[in-house]
Protein backbone atom coordinates (compact mmCIF):
# COMPACT_ATOMS: atom_id res chain seq x y z
CA UNK A 1 0.00 0.00 0.00
CA UNK A 2 1.44 3.36 -1.08
CA UNK A 3 1.65 5.92 1.70
CA UNK A 4 -0.72 8.85 1.16
CA UNK A 5 0.87 12.30 1.04
CA UNK A 6 -1.21 15.44 1.39
CA UNK A 7 0.16 18.23 -0.81
CA UNK A 8 -0.86 21.80 -1.56
CA UNK A 9 -1.21 20.80 -5.20
CA UNK A 10 -3.74 18.07 -4.34
CA UNK A 11 -5.80 20.45 -2.21
CA UNK A 12 -5.76 23.07 -4.97
CA UNK A 13 -6.84 20.44 -7.51
CA UNK A 14 -9.75 19.29 -5.32
CA UNK A 15 -10.88 22.87 -4.71
CA UNK A 16 -10.77 23.55 -8.45
CA UNK A 17 -12.90 20.47 -9.20
CA UNK A 18 -15.43 21.52 -6.53
CA UNK A 19 -15.62 25.01 -8.01
CA UNK A 20 -16.24 23.49 -11.46
CA UNK A 21 -18.80 20.99 -10.04
CA UNK A 22 -16.81 18.26 -11.79
CA UNK A 23 -18.21 15.40 -9.73
CA UNK A 24 -16.92 12.65 -12.00
CA UNK A 25 -13.28 13.73 -11.85
CA UNK A 26 -13.54 14.48 -8.13
CA UNK A 27 -14.99 11.05 -7.42
CA UNK A 28 -12.26 9.33 -9.42
CA UNK A 29 -9.63 11.33 -7.54
CA UNK A 30 -10.72 10.47 -3.98
CA UNK A 31 -12.97 7.38 -4.19
CA UNK A 32 -10.03 4.95 -3.87
CA UNK A 33 -8.50 6.77 -0.91
CA UNK A 34 -8.75 5.42 2.63
CA UNK A 35 -11.36 7.21 4.72
CA UNK A 36 -8.61 8.49 7.08
CA UNK A 37 -6.87 10.11 4.09
CA UNK A 38 -10.12 11.71 2.98
CA UNK A 39 -10.58 13.08 6.49
CA UNK A 40 -7.08 14.55 6.31
CA UNK A 41 -8.02 16.27 3.04
CA UNK A 42 -11.29 17.59 4.45
CA UNK A 43 -9.48 19.25 7.35
CA UNK A 44 -7.74 21.49 4.80
CA UNK A 45 -10.99 22.59 3.15
CA UNK A 46 -13.67 25.08 4.07
CA UNK A 47 -16.86 23.77 5.67
CA UNK A 48 -18.75 24.31 2.41
CA UNK A 49 -16.15 22.34 0.44
CA UNK A 50 -16.10 19.60 3.08
CA UNK A 51 -19.88 19.21 2.94
CA UNK A 52 -19.69 19.04 -0.86
CA UNK A 53 -17.38 16.02 -0.62
CA UNK A 54 -19.40 14.40 2.17
CA UNK A 55 -22.52 14.54 0.00
CA UNK A 56 -20.65 13.29 -3.05
CA UNK A 57 -19.03 10.06 -1.89
CA UNK A 58 -20.79 6.87 -0.77
CA UNK A 59 -22.52 6.86 2.61
CA UNK A 60 -20.59 3.84 3.87
CA UNK A 61 -17.31 5.72 3.37
CA UNK A 62 -18.49 9.16 4.52
CA UNK A 63 -19.67 7.65 7.78
CA UNK A 64 -16.13 6.49 8.51
CA UNK A 65 -14.71 9.81 7.34
CA UNK A 66 -16.88 11.70 9.83
CA UNK A 67 -15.61 9.58 12.73
CA UNK A 68 -12.03 10.49 11.81
CA UNK A 69 -12.61 14.25 11.92
CA UNK A 70 -11.80 16.42 14.93
CA UNK A 71 -14.85 16.87 17.15
CA UNK A 72 -15.17 20.62 16.60
CA UNK A 73 -14.78 20.38 12.84
CA UNK A 74 -17.22 17.46 12.62
CA UNK A 75 -19.81 19.39 14.64
CA UNK A 76 -19.60 22.26 12.16
CA UNK A 77 -20.23 19.84 9.28
CA UNK A 78 -23.13 18.13 11.05
CA UNK A 79 -24.83 21.49 11.55
CA UNK A 80 -25.02 21.87 7.76
CA UNK A 81 -26.51 18.39 7.20
CA UNK A 82 -30.17 17.53 7.58
CA UNK A 83 -31.34 15.05 10.22
CA UNK A 84 -32.10 12.57 7.43
CA UNK A 85 -28.57 12.89 6.01
CA UNK A 86 -27.02 12.34 9.44
CA UNK A 87 -29.26 9.31 10.00
CA UNK A 88 -28.10 7.83 6.68
CA UNK A 89 -24.47 8.18 7.84
CA UNK A 90 -25.22 6.76 11.30
CA UNK A 91 -26.87 3.69 9.78
CA UNK A 92 -23.55 2.69 8.19
CA UNK A 93 -21.61 2.83 11.45
CA UNK A 94 -21.15 0.43 14.35
CA UNK A 95 -23.24 1.46 17.32
CA UNK A 96 -20.33 2.91 19.32
CA UNK A 97 -19.22 5.16 16.46
CA UNK A 98 -22.82 6.09 15.71
CA UNK A 99 -23.41 7.11 19.32
CA UNK A 100 -20.20 9.18 19.32
CA UNK A 101 -21.28 10.90 16.12
CA UNK A 102 -24.61 12.17 17.44
CA UNK A 103 -23.83 12.49 21.16
CA UNK A 104 -22.97 16.20 20.92
CA UNK A 105 -26.15 17.13 19.04
CA UNK A 106 -28.91 18.94 20.87
CA UNK A 107 -31.56 16.69 22.44
CA UNK A 108 -34.15 17.82 19.90
CA UNK A 109 -31.91 17.18 16.90
CA UNK A 110 -30.69 13.90 18.41
CA UNK A 111 -34.27 12.66 18.68
CA UNK A 112 -34.98 13.75 15.12
CA UNK A 113 -31.92 11.90 13.75
CA UNK A 114 -32.81 8.70 15.60
CA UNK A 115 -36.37 8.86 14.27
CA UNK A 116 -34.99 8.63 10.71
CA UNK A 117 -32.97 5.44 11.39
CA UNK A 118 -34.94 2.67 9.69
CA UNK A 119 -33.21 -0.21 11.48
CA UNK A 120 -35.13 -0.24 14.75
CA UNK A 121 -32.67 -2.52 16.55
CA UNK A 122 -29.76 -0.33 15.47
CA UNK A 123 -31.56 2.77 16.73
CA UNK A 124 -32.42 1.05 20.01
CA UNK A 125 -28.79 0.08 20.59
CA UNK A 126 -27.63 3.65 19.88
CA UNK A 127 -30.15 5.08 22.33
CA UNK A 128 -28.95 2.59 24.93
CA UNK A 129 -25.31 3.66 24.45
CA UNK A 130 -26.18 7.34 24.71
CA UNK A 131 -27.18 6.77 28.34
CA UNK A 132 -23.58 6.18 29.38
CA UNK A 133 -20.91 8.76 30.12
CA UNK A 134 -18.46 8.93 27.23
CA UNK A 135 -15.51 8.38 29.58
CA UNK A 136 -16.80 5.02 30.84
CA UNK A 137 -16.71 1.50 29.44
CA UNK A 138 -20.40 1.86 28.57
CA UNK A 139 -19.63 4.97 26.54
CA UNK A 140 -16.84 3.18 24.66
CA UNK A 141 -18.50 -0.13 23.93
CA UNK A 142 -20.27 -1.31 20.79
CA UNK A 143 -23.30 -3.56 20.81
CA UNK A 144 -22.09 -5.63 17.86
CA UNK A 145 -20.56 -8.91 19.04
CA UNK A 146 -20.82 -12.67 18.64
CA UNK A 147 -22.23 -14.63 21.59
CA UNK A 148 -23.45 -18.20 22.01
CA UNK A 149 -25.51 -19.95 24.66
CA UNK A 150 -23.77 -22.51 26.83
CA UNK A 151 -26.67 -24.93 26.27
CA UNK A 152 -26.33 -25.00 22.48
CA UNK A 153 -24.47 -27.75 20.68
CA UNK A 154 -21.69 -26.94 18.23
CA UNK A 155 -23.90 -27.24 15.13
CA UNK A 156 -26.49 -24.81 16.51
CA UNK A 157 -23.68 -22.58 17.71
CA UNK A 158 -22.15 -22.27 14.22
CA UNK A 159 -25.56 -21.58 12.67
CA UNK A 160 -26.28 -18.73 15.10
CA UNK A 161 -22.78 -17.33 14.79
CA UNK A 162 -23.20 -16.95 11.03
CA UNK A 163 -26.29 -14.81 11.57
CA UNK A 164 -24.62 -12.61 14.17
CA UNK A 165 -21.36 -12.19 12.24
CA UNK A 166 -23.19 -10.37 9.43
CA UNK A 167 -23.42 -7.30 11.67
CA UNK A 168 -19.89 -7.51 13.10
CA UNK A 169 -17.04 -5.87 11.22
CA UNK A 170 -14.40 -8.08 12.84
CA UNK A 171 -14.89 -11.08 15.10
CA UNK A 172 -12.28 -10.87 17.86
CA UNK A 173 -13.87 -13.30 20.32
CA UNK A 174 -16.86 -15.58 20.75
CA UNK A 175 -18.50 -15.01 24.13
CA UNK A 176 -20.49 -17.64 26.01
CA UNK A 177 -23.57 -16.69 28.06
CA UNK A 178 -26.29 -18.53 29.95
CA UNK A 179 -30.06 -18.22 29.45
CA UNK A 180 -30.01 -14.87 31.33
CA UNK A 181 -27.20 -13.43 29.19
CA UNK A 182 -24.75 -13.68 32.10
CA UNK A 183 -21.18 -13.92 30.78
CA UNK A 184 -19.76 -17.37 31.41
CA UNK A 185 -16.59 -17.42 29.32
CA UNK A 186 -15.25 -17.45 25.79
CA UNK A 187 -15.14 -19.99 23.01
CA UNK A 188 -12.00 -20.92 21.10
CA UNK A 189 -12.49 -21.08 17.34
CA UNK A 190 -10.01 -23.96 17.21
CA UNK A 191 -12.04 -25.98 19.75
CA UNK A 192 -15.17 -25.20 17.78
CA UNK A 193 -13.66 -26.56 14.57
CA UNK A 194 -12.20 -29.78 15.97
CA UNK A 195 -15.10 -30.76 18.23
CA UNK A 196 -18.03 -32.97 17.32
CA UNK A 197 -21.09 -31.04 16.15
CA UNK A 198 -23.14 -32.76 18.85
CA UNK A 199 -20.93 -31.52 21.68
CA UNK A 200 -22.42 -28.94 24.03
CA UNK A 201 -20.82 -25.51 24.22
CA UNK A 202 -20.71 -25.80 28.03
CA UNK A 203 -18.27 -28.70 27.67
CA UNK A 204 -15.71 -26.88 25.53
CA UNK A 205 -15.79 -23.18 26.40
CA UNK A 206 -13.01 -21.45 28.39
CA UNK A 207 -14.40 -20.09 31.67
CA UNK A 208 -11.56 -17.62 32.20
CA UNK A 209 -12.30 -14.33 30.46
CA UNK A 210 -11.28 -10.74 31.23
CA UNK A 211 -14.15 -8.25 31.34
CA UNK A 212 -15.04 -4.76 32.54
CA UNK A 213 -18.19 -3.23 34.00
CA UNK A 214 -20.17 -0.55 32.19
CA UNK A 215 -19.27 2.12 34.75
CA UNK A 216 -15.52 1.42 34.81
CA UNK A 217 -13.51 4.43 33.64
CA UNK A 218 -11.99 4.57 30.18
CA UNK A 219 -8.52 4.77 31.79
CA UNK A 220 -9.16 1.53 33.71
CA UNK A 221 -10.25 -0.21 30.53
CA UNK A 222 -7.16 1.05 28.69
CA UNK A 223 -4.93 -0.21 31.50
CA UNK A 224 -6.47 -3.71 31.46
CA UNK A 225 -6.37 -4.06 27.68
CA UNK A 226 -2.78 -2.82 27.39
CA UNK A 227 -1.61 -4.97 30.32
CA UNK A 228 -3.06 -8.18 28.91
CA UNK A 229 -2.58 -7.31 25.19
CA UNK A 230 -6.28 -7.69 24.42
CA UNK A 231 -7.77 -6.85 21.03
CA UNK A 232 -11.26 -6.72 22.52
CA UNK A 233 -12.85 -7.00 25.94
CA UNK A 234 -16.48 -7.77 26.89
CA UNK A 235 -18.51 -5.30 28.93
CA UNK A 236 -21.01 -6.48 31.54
CA UNK A 237 -23.62 -4.74 33.70
CA UNK A 238 -23.97 -4.96 37.48
CA UNK A 239 -25.55 -8.42 37.15
CA UNK A 240 -22.65 -9.54 34.94
CA UNK A 241 -24.90 -9.73 31.89
CA UNK A 242 -23.05 -9.25 28.60
CA UNK A 243 -24.03 -5.87 27.12
CA UNK A 244 -21.26 -5.05 24.64
CA UNK A 245 -17.59 -5.15 23.78
CA UNK A 246 -14.74 -2.66 23.45
CA UNK A 247 -12.18 -3.05 20.67
CA UNK A 248 -8.57 -1.95 20.62
CA UNK A 249 -9.15 0.90 18.13
CA UNK A 250 -11.33 2.70 20.67
CA UNK A 251 -8.72 2.22 23.38
CA UNK A 252 -5.96 3.61 21.18
CA UNK A 253 -8.04 6.78 20.90
CA UNK A 254 -8.42 6.90 24.70
CA UNK A 255 -4.68 6.49 25.24
CA UNK A 256 -3.95 9.16 22.65
CA UNK A 257 -6.40 11.62 24.19
CA UNK A 258 -5.07 10.97 27.69
CA UNK A 259 -1.49 11.50 26.52
CA UNK A 260 -2.45 14.78 24.83
CA UNK A 261 -4.28 15.89 27.97
CA UNK A 262 -1.30 15.08 30.22
CA UNK A 263 1.09 16.80 27.81
CA UNK A 264 -1.01 19.97 27.91
CA UNK A 265 -1.32 19.84 31.70
CA UNK A 266 2.43 19.39 32.01
CA UNK A 267 2.89 22.46 29.81
CA UNK A 268 0.54 24.48 32.01
CA UNK A 269 -2.55 24.36 29.79
CA UNK A 270 -5.61 23.71 31.93
CA UNK A 271 -8.19 22.93 29.22
CA UNK A 272 -8.30 20.64 26.21
CA UNK A 273 -7.51 22.96 23.30
CA UNK A 274 -6.43 22.75 19.67
CA UNK A 275 -4.09 25.01 17.74
CA UNK A 276 -6.97 26.44 15.69
CA UNK A 277 -9.20 27.26 18.70
CA UNK A 278 -10.25 30.86 19.33
CA UNK A 279 -7.86 33.30 21.00
CA UNK A 280 -10.25 33.57 23.97
CA UNK A 281 -10.33 29.80 24.52
CA UNK A 282 -6.55 29.53 24.22
CA UNK A 283 -6.12 32.42 26.64
CA UNK A 284 -8.37 30.79 29.25
CA UNK A 285 -6.39 27.58 28.95
CA UNK A 286 -2.95 29.16 29.30
CA UNK A 287 -3.36 32.23 31.52
CA UNK A 288 -3.97 30.55 34.94
CA UNK A 289 -0.58 28.85 35.07
CA UNK A 290 1.15 31.90 33.63
CA UNK A 291 -0.30 33.92 36.50
CA UNK A 292 0.97 31.33 38.98
CA UNK A 293 4.38 31.57 37.34
CA UNK A 294 4.23 35.36 37.59
CA UNK A 295 3.47 35.28 41.33
CA UNK A 296 6.23 32.72 41.76
CA UNK A 297 8.63 35.04 39.99
CA UNK A 298 7.52 37.94 42.19
CA UNK A 299 8.07 35.72 45.23
CA UNK A 300 11.61 34.93 44.08
CA UNK A 301 12.22 38.62 43.41
CA UNK A 302 11.06 39.53 46.93
CA UNK A 303 13.45 36.95 48.40
CA UNK A 304 16.34 38.38 46.39
CA UNK A 305 15.32 41.88 47.48
CA UNK A 306 15.57 40.78 51.11
CA UNK A 307 19.23 39.92 50.60
CA UNK A 308 20.36 43.21 49.03
CA UNK A 309 23.05 43.68 51.65
CA UNK A 310 24.56 40.32 50.75
CA UNK A 311 24.57 41.15 47.05
CA UNK A 312 26.25 44.46 47.81
CA UNK A 313 28.98 42.67 49.71
CA UNK A 314 29.16 39.59 47.45
CA UNK A 315 27.89 40.64 43.98
CA UNK A 316 29.28 37.42 42.49
CA UNK A 317 26.34 35.58 44.11
CA UNK A 318 24.09 37.09 41.43
CA UNK A 319 25.93 35.17 38.72
CA UNK A 320 24.74 31.83 40.04
CA UNK A 321 21.02 32.65 40.50
CA UNK A 322 20.05 31.40 36.99
CA UNK A 323 22.02 28.19 37.66
CA UNK A 324 20.17 27.57 40.92
CA UNK A 325 16.73 28.24 39.40
CA UNK A 326 17.30 26.25 36.20
CA UNK A 327 18.74 23.25 38.05
CA UNK A 328 15.94 23.19 40.62
CA UNK A 329 13.26 23.40 37.92
CA UNK A 330 14.83 20.72 35.72
CA UNK A 331 15.34 18.25 38.56
CA UNK A 332 11.77 18.77 39.79
CA UNK A 333 10.29 18.21 36.35
CA UNK A 334 12.40 15.08 35.80
CA UNK A 335 11.34 13.54 39.11
CA UNK A 336 7.67 14.41 38.72
CA UNK A 337 7.58 13.12 35.12
CA UNK A 338 8.88 9.71 36.23
CA UNK A 339 6.37 9.57 39.09
CA UNK A 340 3.43 10.60 36.90
CA UNK A 341 4.37 7.88 34.42
CA UNK A 342 4.58 5.36 37.27
CA UNK A 343 1.20 6.40 38.62
CA UNK A 344 -0.31 6.02 35.17
CA UNK A 345 0.79 2.39 34.87
CA UNK A 346 0.38 1.59 38.60
CA UNK A 347 4.05 0.67 38.99
CA UNK A 348 4.71 2.79 42.11
CA UNK A 349 1.39 2.50 43.91
CA UNK A 350 1.91 2.30 47.68
CA UNK A 351 5.69 2.92 47.48
CA UNK A 352 5.91 6.55 48.64
CA UNK A 353 8.66 6.12 51.26
CA UNK A 354 10.75 3.88 49.03
CA UNK A 355 10.35 6.28 46.11
CA UNK A 356 11.28 9.32 48.22
CA UNK A 357 14.38 7.52 49.55
CA UNK A 358 15.40 6.55 46.01
CA UNK A 359 14.99 10.13 44.76
CA UNK A 360 16.91 11.43 47.77
CA UNK A 361 19.88 9.19 46.97
CA UNK A 362 19.65 9.96 43.26
CA UNK A 363 19.44 13.70 43.97
CA UNK A 364 22.43 13.48 46.29
CA UNK A 365 24.56 11.72 43.66
CA UNK A 366 23.54 14.15 40.91
CA UNK A 367 23.99 17.11 43.25
CA UNK A 368 27.49 16.13 44.31
CA UNK A 369 28.50 15.54 40.68
CA UNK A 370 27.18 18.91 39.51
CA UNK A 371 28.54 20.69 42.59
CA UNK A 372 32.02 19.34 41.91
CA UNK A 373 31.93 20.68 38.37
CA UNK A 374 30.58 24.06 39.54
CA UNK A 375 33.38 24.44 42.11
CA UNK A 376 35.98 24.01 39.39
CA UNK A 377 34.23 26.30 36.90
CA UNK A 378 33.49 29.03 39.44
CA UNK A 379 37.06 29.00 40.69
CA UNK A 380 38.87 28.98 37.35
CA UNK A 381 36.34 30.76 35.08
CA UNK A 382 34.86 33.32 37.50
CA UNK A 383 37.82 33.50 39.91
CA UNK A 384 35.45 33.06 42.82
CA UNK A 385 36.84 32.79 46.33
CA UNK A 386 36.94 29.37 47.96
CA UNK A 387 34.02 30.14 50.34
CA UNK A 388 31.87 31.45 47.49
CA UNK A 389 32.45 28.29 45.42
CA UNK A 390 31.75 26.14 48.48
CA UNK A 391 28.56 28.07 49.20
CA UNK A 392 27.27 27.61 45.66
CA UNK A 393 28.19 23.91 45.69
CA UNK A 394 26.43 23.19 49.00
CA UNK A 395 23.41 25.19 47.88
CA UNK A 396 23.24 23.23 44.62
CA UNK A 397 23.32 19.87 46.40
CA UNK A 398 20.59 21.00 48.79
CA UNK A 399 18.45 22.49 46.03
CA UNK A 400 18.73 19.36 43.85
CA UNK A 401 17.79 17.00 46.69
CA UNK A 402 14.91 19.27 47.69
CA UNK A 403 13.63 19.53 44.09
CA UNK A 404 13.80 15.76 43.64
CA UNK A 405 11.77 15.16 46.80
CA UNK A 406 9.17 17.81 45.91
CA UNK A 407 8.92 16.49 42.35
CA UNK A 408 8.24 13.01 43.75
CA UNK A 409 5.93 13.92 46.62
CA UNK A 410 3.59 16.39 44.92
CA UNK A 411 2.29 14.08 42.11
CA UNK A 412 1.67 11.25 44.60
CA UNK A 413 -0.07 13.66 46.98
CA UNK A 414 -2.28 15.01 44.19
CA UNK A 415 -3.14 11.49 42.98
CA UNK A 416 -4.25 10.47 46.49
CA UNK A 417 -6.48 13.57 46.58
CA UNK A 418 -8.12 12.64 43.27
CA UNK A 419 -6.34 15.36 41.25
CA UNK A 420 -4.64 14.52 37.97
CA UNK A 421 -0.93 14.35 38.91
CA UNK A 422 0.05 15.57 35.44
CA UNK A 423 -0.62 19.14 36.63
CA UNK A 424 2.48 18.80 38.82
CA UNK A 425 4.97 18.21 36.03
CA UNK A 426 5.02 21.67 34.48
CA UNK A 427 4.81 25.24 35.82
CA UNK A 428 3.65 24.11 39.27
CA UNK A 429 6.86 22.19 40.04
CA UNK A 430 9.11 24.60 38.16
CA UNK A 431 7.75 27.68 39.93
CA UNK A 432 7.75 26.18 43.42
CA UNK A 433 11.30 24.92 43.02
CA UNK A 434 12.48 28.27 41.62
CA UNK A 435 11.23 30.09 44.70
CA UNK A 436 12.48 27.49 47.18
CA UNK A 437 15.78 27.25 45.32
CA UNK A 438 16.45 30.98 45.71
CA UNK A 439 15.44 30.86 49.38
CA UNK A 440 17.75 27.89 50.05
CA UNK A 441 20.60 29.50 48.11
CA UNK A 442 20.62 32.76 50.03
CA UNK A 443 19.90 31.09 53.36
CA UNK A 444 22.97 28.88 52.97
CA UNK A 445 25.01 31.85 51.77
CA UNK A 446 23.98 33.82 54.84
CA UNK A 447 25.01 30.97 57.14
CA UNK A 448 28.37 30.35 55.50
CA UNK A 449 29.39 33.86 54.56
CA UNK A 450 28.01 35.51 57.68
CA UNK A 451 26.23 38.56 56.24
Amino acid sequence: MTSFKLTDGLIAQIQQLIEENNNKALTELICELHYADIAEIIHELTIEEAVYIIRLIDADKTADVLTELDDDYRDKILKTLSAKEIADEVTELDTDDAADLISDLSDERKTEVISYIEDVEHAKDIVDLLRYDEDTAGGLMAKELVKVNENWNVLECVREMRKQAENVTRVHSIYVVDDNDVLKGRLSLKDLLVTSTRSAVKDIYIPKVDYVYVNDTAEDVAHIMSKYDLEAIPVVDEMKRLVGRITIDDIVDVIKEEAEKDYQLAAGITHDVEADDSIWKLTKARLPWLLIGMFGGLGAASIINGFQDAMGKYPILLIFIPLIQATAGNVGVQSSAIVVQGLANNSIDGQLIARLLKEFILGLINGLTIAGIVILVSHFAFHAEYMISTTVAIALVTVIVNAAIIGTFIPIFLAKRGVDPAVATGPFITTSNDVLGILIYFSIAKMLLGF
Side-chain angles (χ1 to χ4, degrees):
M1 179 178 177
T2 304
S3 177
F4 172 77
K5 291 185 179 180
L6 183 64
T7 63
D8 292 339
L10 177 60
I11 295 299
Q13 183 182 3
I14 290 174
Q15 290 174 327
Q16 180 66 31
L17 293 174
I18 291 174
E19 186 177 343
E20 296 172 353
N21 292 323
N22 192 339
N23 293 345
K24 181 179 179 181
L26 186 59
T27 301
E28 291 176 352
L29 181 63
I30 65 175
C31 68
E32 297 300 324
L33 294 177
H34 190 276
Y35 58 83
D37 296 332
I38 298 176
E40 189 177 354
I41 291 172
I42 286 178
H43 274 123
E44 301 300 319
L45 304 176
T46 66
I47 296 298
E48 293 74 17
E49 292 168 340
V51 172
Y52 188 97
I53 289 181
I54 290 294
R55 286 174 170 156
L56 178 65
I57 56 183
D58 295 337
D60 58 343
K61 178 165 283 191
T62 56
D64 290 324
V65 169
L66 288 171
T67 63
E68 288 291 318
L69 297 175
D70 291 339
D71 291 346
D72 292 341
Y73 197 82
R74 182 175 64 222
D75 290 343
K76 293 176 182 177
I77 291 177
L78 292 180
K79 287 178 181 178
T80 67
L81 301 178
S82 67
K84 179 66 168 61
E85 287 175 318
I86 297 175
D88 291 340
E89 306 296 347
V90 164
T91 302
E92 302 295 331
L93 293 171
D94 287 342
T95 49
D96 57 335
D97 292 328
D100 289 341
L101 191 66
I102 65 176
S103 60
D104 292 331
L105 300 177
S106 66
D107 291 340
E108 180 180 350
R109 190 160 164 79
K110 199 180 299 180
T111 301
E112 187 179 3
V113 170
I114 292 171
S115 69
Y116 278 109
I117 301 176
E118 297 179 0
D119 187 335
V120 176
E121 285 300 317
H122 194 61
K124 180 181 176 183
D125 287 339
I126 294 172
V127 171
D128 186 38
L129 292 180
L130 289 171
R131 297 188 295 110
Y132 298 105
D133 188 293
E134 64 179 357
D135 294 323
T136 64
L140 289 173
M141 71 180 181
K143 288 289 189 175
E144 292 84 4
L145 50 78
V146 175
K147 65 179 179 179
V148 297
N149 191 293
E150 63 176 347
N151 296 314
W152 293 347
N153 61 36
V154 171
L155 184 61
E156 186 177 7
C157 175
V158 172
R159 184 166 55 245
E160 292 297 326
M161 284 171 54
R162 287 174 177 171
K163 295 179 183 178
Q164 296 177 32
E166 293 179 0
N167 298 319
V168 181
T169 305
R170 181 177 297 175
V171 179
H172 293 92
S173 297
I174 304 165
Y175 303 114
V176 180
V177 298
D178 63 13
D179 292 334
N180 296 315
D181 264 350
V182 173
L183 180 64
K184 306 296 290 187
R186 58 189 174 87
L187 188 59
S188 164
L189 184 59
K190 177 182 176 181
D191 292 340
L192 193 65
L193 292 173
V194 301
T195 304
S196 169
T197 56
R198 295 191 181 90
S199 299
V201 171
K202 66 171 60 177
D203 295 329
I204 61 173
Y205 80 82
I206 304 168
K208 177 173 173 42
V209 58
D210 296 301
Y211 60 88
V212 293
Y213 288 96
V214 287
N215 292 319
D216 286 347
T217 66
E219 289 78 11
D220 288 339
V221 177
H223 174 69
I224 292 173
M225 292 188 70
S226 61
K227 180 179 180 180
Y228 297 111
D229 293 327
L230 303 176
E231 291 187 350
I233 192 168
V235 183
V236 299
D237 64 12
E238 293 80 0
M239 297 176 65
K240 207 184 170 184
R241 292 177 301 189
L242 181 62
V243 293
R245 65 160 184 170
I246 298 172
T247 52
I248 190 64
D249 58 314
D250 296 311
I251 291 305
V252 169
D253 291 339
V254 170
I255 294 173
K256 179 182 176 182
E257 290 171 6
E258 190 64 21
E260 289 176 349
K261 174 187 171 186
D262 287 347
Y263 181 80
Q264 289 185 346
L265 286 173
I269 300 176
T270 55
H271 300 285
D272 186 17
V273 293
E274 301 289 343
D276 57 354
D277 283 337
S278 67
I279 292 178
W280 173 239
K281 186 174 181 180
L282 291 170
T283 300
K284 288 194 298 181
R286 298 181 186 184
L287 188 58
W289 282 116
L290 293 178
L291 291 174
I292 290 176
M294 179 199 72
F295 285 114
L298 291 174
S302 66
I303 292 173
I304 295 172
N305 185 58
F307 289 94
Q308 283 190 20
D309 293 341
M311 289 185 291
K313 190 174 181 180
Y314 301 101
I316 195 173
L317 291 175
L318 286 170
I319 296 175
F320 299 100
I321 289 178
L323 173 65
I324 295 293
Q325 288 185 311
T327 305
N330 289 336
V331 171
V333 168
Q334 284 181 345
S335 298
S336 60
I338 294 297
V339 173
V340 169
Q341 183 182 39
L343 290 170
N345 57 33
N346 295 324
S347 63
I348 62 170
D349 191 30
Q351 301 178 14
L352 176 58
I353 301 301
R355 188 70 211 180
L356 287 174
L357 180 60
K358 186 174 183 178
E359 285 297 326
F360 173 82
I361 295 173
L362 186 61
L364 192 60
I365 294 173
N366 289 336
L368 290 171
T369 302
I370 294 174
I373 296 172
V374 169
I375 286 178
L376 294 175
V377 173
S378 63
H379 179 73
F380 291 104
F382 300 110
H383 307 291
E385 297 178 4
Y386 172 75
M387 282 304 297
I388 295 293
S389 299
T390 302
T391 297
V392 175
I394 294 174
L396 265 175
V397 174
T398 308
V399 164
I400 288 173
V401 171
N402 177 76
I405 291 175
I406 289 178
T408 302
F409 177 77
I410 293 298
I412 296 176
F413 176 80
L414 292 175
K416 289 184 179 297
R417 294 294 182 275
V419 180
D420 192 331
V423 301
T425 60
F428 185 85
I429 289 291
T430 302
T431 302
S432 61
N433 279 324
D434 281 352
V435 176
L436 288 174
I438 292 298
L439 181 59
I440 291 171
Y441 176 47
F442 279 105
S443 297
I444 290 176
K446 183 176 182 180
M447 287 189 294
L448 296 181
L449 299 178
F451 52 77

